[in-house]
Structure formats: structure tokens, C-alpha cells
């Protein structure tokens, strides 16, 4: 050990280089110069690394190293702002829990790239002299009069939005005042009064839930502070979140509010902004580079103390978190599908524990995992006192039309009443697949073992897994037959169907990934539907997210049991949630509503229980089933997928891993082939175990042991310790 004798203070930084390669594992030691004394845990450095330079994050400071001090390299530069130390620790936890690397986990918590230094922005305010001038006492050009008028009617505004040069001339005459803008680029609005006025008085049920939450906001044992707000749709869950956030702010702490997807939940986000004003930072993928950086800094500096955003907002750089809300906690978007395959709901729990914060998850269709792990608070009634809409299940066996006769009648009633309906079909495109009537051949994706989906009436075929596209065939390349059969229906053909059947009096608003190619389009379609007097909102599961539209008289789920036809242990849960969530959009406001559910297996448990709005019975049965099978939350599953252009290599690697992993206990199922994806054959292992972390470690060791060989055989191995 060689300590630097001249300094007793730590002068060595243990740095994790941010590289994507799994083979490189830090941390590595760097020596700090005396002028780098403010380097600490989380500081981002540019470091020499091998023959290159790379970014690195300081994990630890030390006073000695295994290497001679003189032989250590010095960082090239310090790159502020750094990562808050609690997020460095969180990244370490994620790397371990999700079988990833520290570098990849750290990339989740890095500050977003900045666009240089913060520019001081200006806010324009009308002065008294300006107001007098506006009333006729001063000489003004039309343009100046318009500027003053806008400041008069809208209040203070960012100078950049109105034209800084023109405002400067008005400032010289004393008619306008220019002052530094609130950080983040928004005008400082006098929001104090607005916050407390007009808060709805809570119902007794809401009050009871809120009191339980507030009781835990103080210095309570962490286990007491994890809640599941299980409330039917429209029961006022969001109002409980809002008031819990308010109490958190009043206690001088910050809050994170996770929502499924901003573009689909503009109403929820809007309610937080309206209530708390500039204290809210919203992180979403629609933000530009500069805005994202600014929002991050506002949170880091404590200027914003509430962060609303999708799963990545769980990494918001708040100093002192008192509350983490997970809205619609059943939503699959909380799971990240790239490496690290983290689940924001588990990360939220961990982060809440780090900060001594309360965790508050909410849903009308909570996950069995949450029911077991969290303290349930119930909101069994809708706010407006209306019953949940009656649900009728329609048997589609033997019917060949996508719409059941009763569905057609109900839609005709909606048209006659000038009302609104929502129709859900969780399948985009025109037809599921095409086949040749001559030889029976199905048009398949050349890269994946799946059928191509027809889009547009005559348009093109597309693979929903790899994005492969080709023109739709009119003749079979195999046998030459021109008889091409279309099978099944998607949102596009149902749209056509509805237009033909109901004409212009019932306009159709389609909402799916194709119709809403841009993010703005999504929100636009939702608001067009909202402001239309009548119409049908038709789309994939997007239409069932937490929208709060008044006056939807009819909800329809087409092919509700399609999810049940996939071999997935969460299939029932998903189906139940889909039907329940759609029913939740119906019959709010003045209109009474009803729901029709079309299914090929109308007696399926998830459908009959959703039709009775019986979430408790569904959860009880689901938990029993999972206990018998050893599925979460009674055991853990870990999924290992080996993929390769060569099927035999993928299989061989999976078999080898099976051998290695089986030795460390746990039940290993497989190798089982998965369908070919993006030109790669895949072979899967599923490991069932009780001690999740021990098994993740054992799998990690086995994968590492095979890493070199796998690379040589071009097999890639992915591990998902929390498969969905
Ligand atoms: P959820 O989140 O459970 O679907 P919301 O919080 O969106 O329910 O509440 C549904 C509607 O009821 C909203 O329009 C909301 O503003 C309103 N609301 C909520 N709580 C109250 C209350 N205590 N009094 C009156 N209206 C309320
Ligand atoms: Zn053919
Ligand atoms: Zn494909």
C-alpha cells in the first residue's frame, strides 16, 4: 500500500468508467490533484482509460490504493453537475438486483446532457406607468399597445416569448419591468392563493385513506409507510395523491409522482401542475435536450420539489423525498425492457426506503404482488355516487363478423342519442394475417417466426416485432393463386366497419401506435374526442388508460380474451385489468353507461369477475393459483434467453447454462425454443426460486463463466430477473 505522504485527506477516487462492455468492471483508482479537492461521491469525471478517454463516476474516495500513487492516472476534467450520492448507491443496487453492470445502471441516473451554462432568462411585468399608458395617457404603436395589453391581461410573461428587443424599449420608458425569470424558464406566478382555495372536501373514505398516509409521513418505521390505494375507477385516488403531496411539501420534503405515460395521461399531469404550479417539474420524452437538463437542475437545486413523470422519473434528483406515488401501479410500462431491466415499482420501494419516504401505489386493478406487500387502503365507491356500469359478456363463438349484433344495436343507440362510446381492440392494423386459399401458405416475416399483419386496406404487410415491411401480396409467390384470404380484424378494419355502419353522425377517433405516430397527435386525438359532442374513440389498450371523459355512454371490448391465448402467467391479470379499466372510463358525468365485452371464451374467470367488478375475488383466486405454482409473489422467476443466428448454438448455450445454474439449487425449466426474432433463434430458461437475490447472483456467475465462449459463438445472453 502506498499512501501519498504529503496528504492525510483522501486523494484517491475510485471511479466506475461508463462503458457498455460487460467485460470491463471497475472501479479503478485515479489520483486527484490538490485543485480537485471538491471531488466527491457522484462526481462525473473525464478520465484517461486505456488509450482513450471516457466518462466515469466516482463511487468512493480513499486514501490509499493497491497501486503506487505515482502510477495512478489523473482525471482530465470534472464535469458538473454530478450525480447525487443516494442515486449512486441506488445504481449499485440496480446493477446487482437486475444482473446488470454498474456502468449501465449508472447511465440511468446521470444528469441529462446539458446545453451549456444556464442562460439568465427575463420576465416582463407591466408597471403602473405602463397600465396608465395603456389606458390612453401615452403614445404607443399598435405593436407596443398589444404587448402591454397582453401583460395586462395574462400577467407576467417570459420576455423571450414576447420579443425582448421591443420590451427593452418599453422598459426604457418605464412602462415595463424586466427581471430574472424563475429557473426553468417559467414565469413566477403568484400561485399562493390558488393552492388552498377550492380544494374539494374529501369524502369520508378519502379522508380515512389520507389520514393513514399522513400518519406515516412522520418518522414512522418504513414498513408502516407502504400503501396500496385500491380504489375503483373514479373513486378520487388522484385527489388523495394531491393532498398527500401537499402535506409532504408542507413538511418541507419533496415528492415523486410516477405515471404510466405522459402523452396518455395529460389530465393527471395537468392536475398536479394546476395545484402546485412551479414547484412541479415534469419529465417526459417530449422534452428537448435543454428543457430536460433545466428540469433536472431545478430538482437538483430544490427549486422544484415535485417531479411528475414516467418510470425514469423514479431517478429524479430530489434531495429529501417524503413521498413516492405510483399511479396506475398495474401498468406494464413501469417495467424497462432494455438492460438494466429494472421495474420502476421495485426501484420506487427501494428509493422510498433510502429516504424514509412513504410509498403510495394506486390502482383499480392492483397487482397480486402489491396486495401482498403493501398495506391496502380502500376506496370502494365512485365519487359521484354512481354505480359502476353494468357489464354484459357476449359470446362470439360461431360469429364471423367483428361486431356482435348487440354491439351494433348499442352503437346505433349511441348514434341516435348523440352520445359517446369507447371501443377497445388490442390489435392494430387491418387483418391479423393473410393466407393463400390455393396452398394454405401464410405470409410470414422473413426475420421472425410470426405472421405479417396487413395495414391499410390494400397497403402493406408489416411485422410487429422487427418492423419489416413489404407490399401486400395480391398473388401467392408459391402457387400463383390470386385468392388471398384475410383473417381477423384490427383497429383499421374496425374503423372502416364503424364508418360504413354509422356514417358521419358518429365520427370515429382512432388511437393506436399507427394513428398517433407523433406524440402530439396522441394528446390531440384525445382532446378532439373530449371536445366532440358525439363519437367513438377506437383503439388499442391506450383508450383504457386513466382518461376522465364525461358522458361516455358505452364501452366495448372486442376480442377481450385474446390475451388469454398467450402462454403467460400474467395473462389473466392483464385481461382482468383491461376490461375493468375500460369499464372505468364509462358512465362518468351525466350519462349512465354500460359495457359490452365480446369474447370467444366468455366463461373465463378474468372476464366474468371483471364483469361483476369483483377485484377482491379475482385477486384472492389469483393469489391462490400463484401460491400453488410458486409464482410471484410466492416465489421468483428469472428468465434467461440465449439468442443466435444459429439455432443449434442458442440451444447448446442454454443447455450449458442449465447445467451450471441447476447446481446452485432452484428449479430450472427449459431450454424451450421461443419464436425466431429479428433473424435470431432463441432458447429460453425459466428459473423458479425462493431466494431471488442469491439466484440472480448465481445466474450472473454462470453467465459470466460462459461469456467468452458465447461471444465467440455469437450467442448473446440476456437475463431478466423480473420477467413480465
Ligand atoms: P380516480 O383517480 O380514482 O380515477 P379522480 O381522482 O380522477 O379518481 O376523481 C374522479 C373525479 O372526481 C375527478 O373529476 C375529481 O376532480 C373528482 N373528485 C375527486 N375527489 C373529489 C371530492 N372529494 N369531491 C368532489 N369531487 C372530487
Ligand atoms: Zn399459394
Ligand atoms: Zn419480423
Amino acid at each position: 500500500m502506498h499512501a501519498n505522504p504529503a496528504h492525510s485527506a483522501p486523494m484517491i477516487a475510485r471511479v466506475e468508467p461508463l462503458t457498455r462492455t460487460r467485460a470491463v468492471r471497475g472501479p479503478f483508482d485515479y489520483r486527484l490533484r490538490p485543485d480537485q479537492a471538491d471531488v466527491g461521491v457522484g462526481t462525473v469525471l473525464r478520465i484517461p482509460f486505456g488509450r482513450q478517454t471516457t466518462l466515469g463516476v466516482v463511487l468512493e474516495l480513499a486514501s490509499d490504493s493497491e497501486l503506487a500513487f505515482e502510477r495512478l492516472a489523473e482525471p482530465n476534467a470534472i464535469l458538473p453537475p454530478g450525480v447525487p450520492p443516494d442515486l449512486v448507491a441506488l445504481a449499485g443496487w440496480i446493477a446487482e438486483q437486475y444482473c446488470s453492470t454498474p456502468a449501465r445502471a449508472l447511465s440511468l441516473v446521470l444528469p441529462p446532457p446539458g446545453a451549456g451554462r444556464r442562460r439568465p432568462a427575463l420576465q416582463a411585468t407591466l408597471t403602473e406607468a405602463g397600465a396608465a399608458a395603456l389606458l390612453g395617457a401615452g403614445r404607443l404603436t399598435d405593436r407596443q399597445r398589444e404587448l402591454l395589453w397582453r401583460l395586462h391581461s395574462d400577467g407576467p410573461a417570459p420576455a423571450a416569448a414576447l420579443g425582448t428587443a421591443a420590451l427593452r424599449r418599453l422598459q426604457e420608458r418605464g412602462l415595463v419591468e424586466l427581471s430574472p425569470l424563475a429557473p426553468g424558464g417559467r414565469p413566477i406566478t403568484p400561485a399562493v392563493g390558488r393552492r388552498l382555495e377550492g380544494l374539494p372536501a374529501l369524502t369520508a373514505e378519502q379522508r380515512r385513506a389520507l389520514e393513514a398516509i399522513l400518519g406515516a409521513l412522520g418518522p414512522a418505521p418504513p414498513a408502516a409507510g407502504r400503501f396500496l390505494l385500491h380504489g375503483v375507477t373514479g373513486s378520487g385516488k388522484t385527489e388523495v395523491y394531491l393532498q398527500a403531496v401537499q402535506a409532504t411539501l408542507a413538511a418541507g420534503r419533496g415528492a415523486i409522482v410516477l405515471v404510466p405515460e405522459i402523452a396518455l395521461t395529460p389530465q393527471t399531469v395537468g392536475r398536479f401542475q394546476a395545484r402546485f404550479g412551479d414547484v412541479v417539474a415534469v419529465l417526459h420524452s417530449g422534452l428537448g435536450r435543454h428543457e430536460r437538463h433545466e428540469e433536472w437542475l431545478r430538482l437538483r437545486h430544490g427549486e422544484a420539489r415535485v417531479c411528475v413523470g414516467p418510470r425514469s422519473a423514479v431517478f429524479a434528483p430530489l434531495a429529501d423525498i417524503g413521498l413516492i406515488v405510483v399511479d396506475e401501479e398495474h401498468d406494464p410500462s413501469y417495467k424497462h425492457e432494455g438492460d438494466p431491466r429494472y421495474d420502476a415499482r421495485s426501484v420506487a420501494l427501494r428509493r422510498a426506503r433510502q429516504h424514509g419516504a412513504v410509498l403510495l401505489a394506486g390502482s383499480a386493478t392492483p397487482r397480486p404482488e402489491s396486495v401482498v406487500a403493501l398495506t391496502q387502503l380502500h376506496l370502494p365507491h365512485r365519487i359521484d355516487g354512481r354505480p359502476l356500469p353494468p357489464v354484459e359478456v357476449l359470446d362470439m363463438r360461431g360469429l364471423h363478423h367483428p361486431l356482435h349484433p348487440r354491439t351494433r344495436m348499442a352503437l346505433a343507440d349511441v348514434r341516435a342519442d348523440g352520445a359517446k362510446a369507447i371501443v377497445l381492440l388490442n390489435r392494430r392494423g387491418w387483418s391479423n394475417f393473410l393466407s393463400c386459399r390455393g396452398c394454405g401458405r401464410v405470409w410470414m416475416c422473413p426475420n421472425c417466426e410470426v405472421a405479417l399483419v396487413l395495414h391499410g386496406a390494400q397497403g402493406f404487410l408489416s411485422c410487429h416485432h422487427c418492423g419489416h415491411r413489404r407490399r401486400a401480396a395480391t398473388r401467392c409467390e408459391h402457387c400463383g393463386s390470386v385468392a388471398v384470404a384475410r383473417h381477423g380484424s384490427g383497429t383499421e378494419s374496425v374503423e372502416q366497419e364503424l364508418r360504413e355502419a354509422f356514417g358521419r353522425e358518429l365520427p370515429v377517433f382512432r388511437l393506436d401506435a399507427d394513428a398517433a405516430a407523433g406524440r402530439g397527435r396522441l394528446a390531440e386525438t384525445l382532446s378532439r374526442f373530449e371536445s366532440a359532442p358525439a363519437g367513438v374513440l377506437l383503439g388499442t389498450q391506450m383508450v383504457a388508460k386513466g382518461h376522465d371523459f364525461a358522458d361516455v355512454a358505452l364501452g366495448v371490448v372486442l376480442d377481450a380474451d385474446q390475451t388469454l391465448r398467450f402462454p403467460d402467467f400474467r395473462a389473466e391479470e392483464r385481461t382482468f385489468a383491461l376490461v375493468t379499466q375500460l369499464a372505468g372510463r364509462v358512465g362518468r358525468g351525466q350519462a349512465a353507461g354500460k359495457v359490452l365485452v365480446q369474447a370467444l371464451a366468455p366463461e373465463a374467470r378474468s372476464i366474468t369477475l371483471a364483469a361483476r367488478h369483483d377485484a377482491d375475488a379475482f385477486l384472492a383466486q389469483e393469489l391462490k393459483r400463484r401460491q400453488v405454482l410458486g409464482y410471484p409473489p410466492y416465489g421468483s422467476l428469472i428468465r434467461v434467453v440465449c439468442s443466435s443466428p444459429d439455432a443449434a448454438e442458442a440451444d447448446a448455450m442454454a443447455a450449458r447454462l442449465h447445467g451450471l445454474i441447476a447446481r446452485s439449487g432452484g428449479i430450472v425449466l427449459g431450454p424451450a425454443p421461443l419464436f425466431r426474432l429479428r433473424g435470431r433463434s432463441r432458447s429460453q430458461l425459466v428459473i423458479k426460486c425462493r431466494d431471488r437475490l442469491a439466484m440472480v447472483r448465481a445466474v450472473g456467475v454462470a453467465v459470466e463463466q460462459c461469456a467468452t465462449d458465447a461471444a465467440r459463438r455469437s450467442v448473446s445472453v440476456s437475463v431478466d430477473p423480473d420477467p413480465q
Side-chain angles (χ1 to χ4, degrees):
M1 299 277 179
H2 300 263
N4 181 1
H7 299 271
S8 52
M11 287 301 289
I12 290 165
R14 305 235 148 99
V15 182
E16 187 68 41
L18 299 179
T19 68
R20 293 293 297 171
T21 21
R22 270 187 177 270
V24 176
R25 285 296 167 91
F28 300 101
D29 291 355
Y30 287 79
R31 103 182 129 168
L32 300 173
R33 296 192 306 266
D35 64 308
Q36 291 172 330
D38 56 345
V39 167
V41 172
T43 302
V44 180
L45 301 171
R46 189 161 59 235
I47 46 172
F49 191 68
R51 264 170 295 163
Q52 299 164 331
T53 61
T54 180
L55 294 186
V57 176
V58 178
L59 300 188
E60 209 184 334
L61 293 178
S63 51
D64 55 30
S65 171
E66 313 240 312
L67 289 171
F69 189 80
E70 309 72 48
R71 290 187 46 205
L72 296 178
E74 282 176 3
N76 301 337
I78 298 174
L79 304 174
V83 180
D86 69 303
L87 287 173
V88 174
L90 189 67
W93 180 85
I94 287 177
E96 178 161 56
Q97 292 285 323
Y98 295 97
C99 207
S100 184
T101 68
R104 290 180 197 199
L106 282 167
S107 69
L108 297 172
V109 300
L110 283 181
R117 256 168 12 91
R118 310 180 76 179
R119 283 166 299 177
L122 294 173
Q123 164 171 263
T125 313
L126 189 67
T127 62
E128 268 179 45
L134 193 56
L135 295 176
R139 265 182 315 108
L140 296 170
T141 65
D142 285 353
R143 161 112 174 96
Q144 286 172 329
R145 190 171 293 279
E146 189 198 316
L147 279 179
L148 294 181
W149 180 250
R150 284 192 53 186
L151 290 175
H152 175 75
S153 54
D154 302 349
L162 300 177
T164 309
L167 287 167
R168 286 237 187 262
R169 281 192 290 281
L170 292 168
Q171 182 197 26
E172 282 158 20
R173 289 168 62 185
L175 305 181
V176 160
E177 189 185 302
L178 293 178
S179 53
L181 187 66
R186 293 199 208 114
I188 302 168
T189 40
V192 188
R194 179 183 65 193
R195 281 181 206 170
L196 299 171
E197 281 165 19
L199 283 193
L202 294 183
T203 64
E205 286 169 356
Q206 284 174 317
R207 206 161 353 98
R208 232 173 289 132
L210 184 67
E211 272 162 16
I213 296 158
L214 298 190
L217 269 175
R226 303 161 167 200
F227 298 101
L228 172 63
L229 188 57
H230 182 180
V232 298
T233 47
S235 59
K237 295 185 288 295
T238 312
E239 188 57 44
V240 174
Y241 307 149
L242 285 162
Q243 300 208 14
V245 168
Q246 182 149 343
T248 308
L249 289 174
R253 307 182 77 188
I256 293 176
V257 180
L258 300 181
V259 294
E261 198 185 331
I262 299 271
L264 290 169
T265 46
Q267 289 169 324
T268 306
V269 177
R271 282 167 77 181
F272 279 88
Q273 282 178 317
R275 182 91 37 109
F276 301 114
D278 294 333
V279 181
V280 178
V282 179
L283 298 178
H284 58 86
S285 52
L287 288 182
R289 209 175 129 97
H290 184 68
E291 290 169 300
R292 175 168 286 273
H293 187 72
E294 287 292 333
E295 290 297 77
W296 196 90
L297 285 179
R298 286 197 329 122
L299 290 160
R300 178 78 210 263
H301 296 152
E303 291 153 7
R305 291 198 290 135
V306 179
C307 180
V308 182
R311 64 172 178 257
S312 60
V314 76
F315 304 116
L318 283 162
D320 181 13
I321 302 168
L323 174 69
I324 304 182
V325 173
V326 185
D327 186 22
E328 309 288 3
E329 71 97 29
H330 61 278
D331 198 277
S333 73
Y334 286 122
K335 169 80 176 171
H336 183 60
E337 285 308 337
D339 183 358
R341 299 174 180 278
Y342 73 91
D343 187 320
R345 296 163 290 206
S346 310
V347 178
L349 259 175
R350 173 72 187 182
R351 201 147 189 231
R353 188 173 302 159
Q354 269 182 325
H355 282 252
V358 170
L359 182 101
L360 174 57
S363 175
T365 51
R367 296 175 303 155
E369 286 92 327
S370 304
V371 169
V372 169
L374 311 177
T375 307
Q376 274 201 79
L377 306 169
H378 286 277
L379 297 179
H381 303 105
R382 279 187 164 183
I383 283 287
D384 50 16
R386 286 180 175 281
L388 288 159
V391 178
E392 188 181 344
V393 184
L394 303 173
D395 188 345
M396 292 300 283
R397 279 173 293 195
L399 291 181
H400 296 291
H401 194 276
L403 302 177
H404 192 279
R406 289 189 59 84
T407 305
R408 291 172 156 269
M409 267 162 38
L411 282 164
D413 288 346
V414 166
R415 178 180 61 176
D417 297 345
K420 289 185 186 177
I422 300 182
V423 176
L424 188 159
L425 172 58
N426 211 1
R427 198 162 53 219
R428 59 199 173 86
W430 189 277
S431 295
N432 289 349
F433 66 96
L434 299 185
S435 75
C436 168
R437 289 193 200 278
C439 68
R441 194 179 81 105
V442 171
W443 273 264
M444 302 287 288
C445 174
N447 311 317
C448 313
E449 267 163 359
V450 297
L452 293 168
V453 176
L454 178 67
H455 282 258
Q458 267 79 38
F460 58 92
L461 296 169
S462 142
C463 172
H464 285 188
H465 292 271
C466 73
H468 172 83
R469 262 183 178 228
R470 53 162 289 176
R471 287 173 63 97
T474 46
R475 120 188 337 260
C476 175
E477 293 102 347
H478 221 63
C479 71
S481 161
V482 290
V484 176
R486 298 174 176 184
H487 303 269
S489 50
T491 46
E492 288 179 18
S493 49
V494 171
E495 178 181 13
Q496 170 89 348
E497 197 75 50
L498 291 173
R499 284 193 204 287
E500 277 168 12
F502 302 105
R504 277 213 228 131
E505 289 151 74
L506 198 62
V508 180
F509 303 84
R510 203 179 97 217
L511 192 75
D512 58 33
D514 302 307
R519 240 144 232 292
R521 293 276 302 282
L522 253 157
E524 190 198 308
T525 305
L526 287 170
S527 78
R528 279 195 5 248
F529 175 68
E530 184 170 26
S531 51
V536 180
L537 180 68
L538 161 72
T540 53
Q541 92 297 339
M542 292 179 179
V543 302
K545 304 273 160 149
H547 318 299
D548 187 14
F549 301 123
D551 307 326
V552 175
L554 174 68
V556 180
V557 188
L558 304 180
D559 203 2
D561 48 342
Q562 65 152 340
T563 38
L564 294 177
R565 300 196 285 269
F566 291 102
D568 174 0
F569 81 97
R570 290 187 209 276
E572 307 230 5
E573 182 186 335
R574 293 258 158 86
T575 308
F576 182 85
L578 210 57
V579 173
T580 305
Q581 293 292 341
L582 183 76
R585 307 305 124 221
V586 175
R588 294 179 172 218
Q590 296 313 307
K594 69 169 171 180
V595 178
L596 300 174
V597 176
Q598 297 188 178
L600 285 168
E603 69 293 338
R605 187 172 61 98
S606 49
I607 290 179
T608 52
L609 289 173
R612 297 213 304 262
H613 306 293
D614 199 345
D616 289 329
F618 176 75
L619 284 164
Q621 292 185 19
E622 186 65 13
L623 282 168
K624 210 175 284 166
R625 184 178 76 99
R626 297 220 186 157
Q627 189 154 30
V628 169
L629 297 171
Y631 284 154
Y634 300 105
S636 291
L637 297 183
I638 301 173
R639 189 167 100 124
V640 180
V641 177
C642 298
S643 73
S644 165
D646 183 341
E649 293 286 11
D651 272 339
M653 186 56 63
R656 189 169 154 207
L657 283 168
H658 183 138
L660 289 171
I661 296 165
R663 252 180 263 154
S664 50
I667 304 162
V668 187
L669 309 172
L674 298 176
F675 68 85
R676 220 172 135 80
L677 181 67
R678 296 187 183 88
R680 299 176 73 89
S681 292
R682 300 180 301 156
S683 185
Q684 163 178 278
L685 301 176
V686 173
I687 301 136
K688 273 192 194 178
C689 59
R690 296 220 157 256
D691 186 346
R692 178 173 177 279
L693 191 53
M695 188 48 81
V696 169
R697 287 197 184 122
V699 171
V701 168
V703 170
E704 216 144 294
Q705 218 170 313
C706 301
T708 333
D709 195 37
R712 203 159 42 81
R713 295 166 182 272
S714 47
V715 176
S716 59
V717 181
S718 84
V719 179
D720 190 347
D722 222 340
Q724 296 293 309

